[in-house]
Amino acid sequence: MKTVYEDLIFMANQIGDFYKNYPSTEEAIEGIVSHFCRFWSPIMRQRIINYVEENGGEELYPLVREAVKKLKASS
C-alpha cells in the first residue's frame, strides 16, 4: 500500500536527479526550489514540507531535502 507521500517523494527525487549536475550545490538547491514553486501546487508543496517535518525526509535525496527546508523557510 502506498503512503500519502510516496508519489511526491518519487517526483521530488526525479527533480533532484536533474539538478544534481548543476555547477554548485547552492545552484542545484535553488533550481529545485524554483521548480517546486513554478510547477507544484501549493498543496503539493505543503505535503512535501510536511513529509520532511514528520519523517525527516529520509527518502529524499540530500539536495532535495535541503531544497524542501529552504522552500519551507521561504513560505
Side-chain angles (χ1 to χ4, degrees), residues 2 10 19 25-27 35 38 41-42 51 59 72-73:
K2 280 189 172 186
F10 178 77
Y19 286 100
T25 300
E26 189 55 40
E27 286 177 281
H35 186 96
R38 289 175 36 219
S41 71
Y51 168 72
E59 294 179 63
K72 179 187 175 195

Side-chain angles (χ1 to χ4, degrees), residues 21-32:
N21 294 318
Y22 268 43
S24 73
T25 300
E26 189 55 40
E27 286 177 281
I29 290 170
E30 286 297 325
I32 296 166

Side-chain angles (χ1 to χ4, degrees), residues 8-22 24-40 44-45 48-49 52 60-72 74:
L8 289 177
I9 293 165
F10 178 77
M11 290 186 293
N13 282 335
Q14 282 187 311
I15 296 163
D17 271 340
F18 177 81
Y19 286 100
K20 71 183 178 188
N21 294 318
Y22 268 43
S24 73
T25 300
E26 189 55 40
E27 286 177 281
I29 290 170
E30 286 297 325
I32 296 166
V33 171
S34 175
H35 186 96
F36 286 151
C37 291
R38 289 175 36 219
F39 299 109
W40 282 31
M44 291 170 71
R45 292 192 302 264
I48 201 72
I49 289 169
V52 171
L60 293 172
Y61 298 156
L63 274 177
V64 177
R65 191 171 34 250
E66 292 306 312
V68 172
K69 290 176 184 176
K70 190 165 191 159
L71 177 68
K72 179 187 175 195
S74 69

